[in-house]
Amino acid sequence: MPHPPDHDALRAAAIYRLYTLEQSERLTRTRIVGVADAFGVDPRTVDRWLANARANHGTYQPPSRRTSFVLTPHMLDAVARWRGNATAAWRELRAEGHPVPSLPTFHRATNKALSPGMRAGLRAGEKARRRFDVSGERERHHRNYAWETDHVEASVKVRIEGHIRKPWITFFVDCATSAICGLAISPQRPSREGVLVAIRDAILIDEHHGPFGGIPRYVRVDGGKEFLCATVTDALGVLGTEIIALPPFTPEGKGNVEAVNGAVKKTLFAGMPGYTHAPALRGGKPVDPDQPLLHFEAFVDRVLTWVHHWNHENTPTSLGGQTPRQAWDADPTLIDTVTAEDLHTYTLERHGKPLTINNGGVRWRKRNYIADWMHGRVGEKVHLRYLPHHDHRVELYDPHTGRHLGAAVMAQQATREQALSLKQARRREADRLRAQLKKAEKSRNERFAAATRPAPPVPLDAMPEEEALEHLRTLDGLTPAAEALPDLIKLPEPDAALTRPLDPHPAPSPAPPAQPKDQP
């Protein structure tokens, strides 16, 4: 085994010391044994080193080593053609007459030229090579600092409207606490519609969505087009969230959501009926081909139960024994929220220019959309927003103020109740107009009170001045004298006896007359 350069320099220094002692006749066998013990060799090896120094005038020079065999570019191409099989490449080169060393030497040269990851990649491709990569660990920061999102295809067959399919799940995971803030389950491969639904579920905080949510600062995605489309970027941009697009096929860039994807496959899908990776019999036949498959509703219920277990009972190693709920509650970072109405508006795709309400409703994509609140608004402009792939319903807004006017449904797909509501709203609008016209006619035909004395005619809806004042005095039991200030209503004159000044020297009152005594 070759020694490092510093080892050779130290050995040369030790041998030079022995050589100088020998020249001065002070070299002893004990010193040679000590050097041998220090380098872990036999004393006779030190004697050979000392002889080498004598032959080179006191300087030890290690013997020249034979240069090791190195694969040529042509040999590397042969190894790559044979998918990393060095033995097959050696046989081909030897059959073609190329000068090749022995097979063990060729194997050592191949292992030296190609790393274990490169050899695995030649055998099984890029996915196998990535297993030998080293990735760092990001700082977790605080809750809602960064989220990670990804799709995962369920390894389970599910019955959906008479068909057997494998649903997809879109997760949004908080990087600081590993909590699943929101998800959306799609019967087919998800599009931007599924991403928008998952964003709503992740941001909202209420009794249905739980304590996890809020507006994140960053969202890491893997470059999928449904995550980077204009609708999703605009929705997150309005909320002030920045999207970080990672290079494709880099799962190490979003390790938190990848951990969730791996866990749901192993701890949920593997125990469900219809698991596609279950052990098979000879010929690939399933063990139980007639097992009952779950319906989509039951599958969604099981996924939601698993998510609750992950957030409230699971203890990831990265959290130090805490559950995601405990880590979330222990984080004092303030949570930015948004109302459900505003979030619904932000996460809808907007049609470019305002549309006009006509007699058939709002015309969009060669279809009419109607609603009961449109009566009387023909000719007004509205902004239309919609959820992708949900063309049966749209939301309409005032183009000037952005106020939500209401929803509208496709006329061809309106239910019986919606059509009835439209007719009732039309009748209510007609009744309201009739009432207004009657009131106007009634006010136009002014009526006067009957008279018994010569006087100008008095309208019945007019009130005489004295009657009006009396009405104000008695309105709601109000007494103006009790509410007015003293200088507004003149007080009555006080009694004169109460205001006469007192005499400081009052005259003595006369004695009462003597009463005559009774005669005997």
Side-chain angles (χ1 to χ4, degrees), residues 167-185:
W168 287 73
I169 307 176
T170 304
F171 286 115
F172 277 86
V173 181
D174 178 64
C175 298
T177 62
S178 297
I180 301 176
C181 296
L183 76 159
I185 305 174

Side-chain angles (χ1 to χ4, degrees), residues 46 73 77 94 97 100 124 134 136 160 193 257 290 297 329 358 360 376 380 382 406-407 437 471 497 507:
V46 178
D77 292 341
R94 188 176 181 182
V100 292
V134 178
I160 302 175
E193 174 261 345
V257 70
D290 300 327
E297 296 81 359
D329 293 339
N358 52 50
E380 292 186 0
V382 292
L437 292 176
H471 177 72

Side-chain angles (χ1 to χ4, degrees), residues 142-156:
H142 53 79
R143 62 184 180 185
N144 287 345
Y145 176 83
W147 288 359
E148 295 175 358
T149 180
D150 195 13
H151 304 308
V152 58
E153 184 184 22
S155 307
V156 177

Side-chain angles (χ1 to χ4, degrees), residues 487-516:
D487 56 345
L488 297 180
I489 298 180
K490 188 175 181 180
L491 298 177
E493 292 294 335
D495 190 357
L498 298 177
T499 60
R500 184 181 303 147
L502 298 178
D503 189 357
H505 303 287
S509 58
Q515 297 292 334

Side-chain angles (χ1 to χ4, degrees), residues 204-282:
L204 287 179
I205 300 177
D206 53 26
E207 64 279 0
H208 173 69
H209 298 86
F212 312 101
I215 301 177
R217 184 181 301 182
Y218 302 101
V219 172
R220 300 190 186 105
V221 301
D222 61 356
K225 62 180 182 179
E226 61 275 5
F227 291 110
L228 299 177
C229 66
T231 305
V232 175
T233 55
D234 290 345
L236 293 177
V238 170
L239 297 174
T241 300
E242 180 181 348
I243 297 179
I244 301 177
L246 302 173
F249 307 106
T250 54
E252 65 277 2
K254 44 185 179 59
N256 293 278
V257 70
E258 291 293 343
V260 172
N261 291 344
V264 73
K265 292 179 180 179
K266 296 178 182 178
T267 61
L268 178 64
F269 298 156
M272 298 174 67
Y275 182 54
T276 56
H277 299 315
L281 299 177
R282 188 174 182 179

